[in-house]
C-alpha cells in the first residue's frame, strides 16, 4: 500500500493497491496510485513530506528502482512532483544468517509465495472472464507458472540488502550478541554503504 505523511497536524492519507504488485508489469498501478495521492494533496491544498510505499517481503527492489527511473525517463507527469528518495530493507536478524545458507527456491517456501501470489492478503476470486482468459496460458491448460517461484531465497535476500539505502535490523532481541555481530558483518559485507 501507499501512505502519504502529511505536514504535522494533518491526517494521513492511504491508497491500497488492488493488485498488490509493484515490481513487475502490474506495477503501473503504483504510479496511478501516486498520481491519485498527488491529486488529493492538490485538492486538500496541502503538501506531503514523504510518500511511503510498503512492498511485500518478496519484492524485488531493483525492479522497483528501475520502475521509478523508467517513469522519470518516459516523462510521466507524476514524476514532476514525486521522486524515489531511498529504499529501506528490514532484515529479520533472527533468521538472516540461516537464510543466506539456504538453497531453497521461493516455490519451496509457501509462507513467502503467498506474498508473491496474493500481495500478502487473502486473495479474492478472479472474475469468470479473467479466469477464462488465463486458462490455457500454461501447459495442459493451467495458468502459466510464476517465474519468481524458481528464484532462490538467498538471491532475493542478497538483492534486498545490496539495493537498500537504509537497512533496519529487526528482532535483535531474539538473538545473542555473537549472532548480532555475525548478522551485522554479513549485512555490511553485502552493503557497506547503507
Amino acid at each position: 500500500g501507499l501512505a502519504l505523511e502529511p505536514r504535522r497536524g494533518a491526517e494521513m492519507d492511504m491508497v491500497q493497491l488492488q493488485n498488490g504488485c509493484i515490481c513487475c508489469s502490474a506495477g503501473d498501478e503504483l504510479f496511478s496510485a501516486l498520481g491519485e495521492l498527488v491529486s488529493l494533496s492538490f485538492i486538500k491544498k496541502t503538501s506531503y513530506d514523504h510518500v511511503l510505499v510498503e512492498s511485500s517481503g518478496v519484492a524485488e527492489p531493483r525492479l522497483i528502482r528501475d520502475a521509478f527511473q523508467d517513469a522519470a525517463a518516459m516523462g510521466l507527469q507524476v514524476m514532476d512532483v514525486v521522486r524515489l528518495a531511498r529504499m529501506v530493507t528490514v532484515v529479520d536478524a533472527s533468521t538472516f544468517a540461516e537464510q543466506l545458507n539456504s538453497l531453497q527456491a521461493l516455490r519451496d517456501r509457501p509462507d513467502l509465495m503467498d506474498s508473491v501470489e496474493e500481495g500478502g492478503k487473502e486473495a479474492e476470486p478472479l472474475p469468470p472472464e479473467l479466469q477464462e482468459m488465463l486458462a490455457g496460458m500454461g501447459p495442459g491448460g493451467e495458468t502459466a507458472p510464476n517465474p519468481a517461484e524458481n528464484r532462490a531465497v538467498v538471491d532475493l535476500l542478497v538483492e534486498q540488502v545490496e539495493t537498500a539505502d537504509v537497512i533496519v535490523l529487526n528482532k535483535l532481541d531474539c538473538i545473542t550478541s555473537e549472532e548480532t555481530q555475525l548478522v551485522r558483518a554479513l549485512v555490511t559485507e553485502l552493503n557497506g554503504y547503507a
Side-chain angles (χ1 to χ4, degrees):
L2 297 176
L4 279 175
E5 181 183 317
R7 302 243 178 238
R8 288 195 172 102
E11 64 186 59
M12 183 179 292
D13 298 316
M14 184 176 286
V15 173
Q16 179 71 36
L17 300 178
Q18 297 304 310
N19 181 317
C21 183
I22 62 171
C23 56
C24 65
S25 60
D28 293 343
E29 183 182 4
L30 170 63
F31 294 101
S32 295
L34 287 170
E36 183 180 332
L37 289 171
V38 168
S39 295
L40 184 61
S41 74
F42 287 126
I43 290 169
K44 289 182 163 187
K45 295 183 179 167
T46 187
S47 62
Y48 298 98
D49 294 325
H50 302 281
V51 176
L52 173 68
V53 179
E54 181 182 6
S55 61
S56 73
V58 293
E60 299 179 63
R62 281 192 180 101
L63 294 177
I64 296 168
R65 181 166 277 151
D66 289 349
F68 273 89
Q69 291 170 343
D70 291 347
M74 291 185 321
L76 240 59
Q77 190 173 5
V78 72
M79 297 308 293
D80 292 341
V81 291
V82 173
R83 69 180 173 86
L84 180 62
R86 65 190 52 86
M87 307 236 354
V88 178
T89 294
V90 179
V91 171
D92 182 344
S94 68
T95 62
F96 188 69
E98 178 185 336
Q99 296 300 324
L100 280 182
N101 288 315
S102 171
L103 298 176
Q104 285 183 305
L106 287 171
R107 72 174 168 275
D108 299 328
R109 294 285 308 274
D111 57 316
L112 297 178
M113 285 310 298
D114 288 345
S115 296
V116 171
E117 295 167 356
E118 302 168 6
K121 307 270 188 276
E122 186 174 319
E124 294 182 25
L126 295 173
E129 309 83 49
L130 191 53
Q131 288 177 6
E132 265 183 52
M133 186 176 80
L134 291 173
M137 289 178 68
E142 64 272 357
T143 304
N146 182 343
E149 291 178 1
N150 294 322
R151 187 162 191 197
V153 173
V154 64
D155 293 342
L156 180 61
L157 291 176
V158 168
E159 177 182 333
Q160 290 175 340
V161 171
E162 286 178 340
T163 307
D165 300 306
V166 176
I167 298 170
V168 177
L169 297 180
N170 191 23
K171 300 185 183 179
L172 289 173
D173 60 327
C174 299
I175 60 176
T176 66
S177 60
E178 292 81 17
E179 291 169 322
T180 299
Q181 288 177 340
L182 173 63
V183 170
R184 288 182 193 275
L186 290 169
V187 167
T188 301
E189 186 67 29
L190 291 170
N191 185 341
Y193 300 103

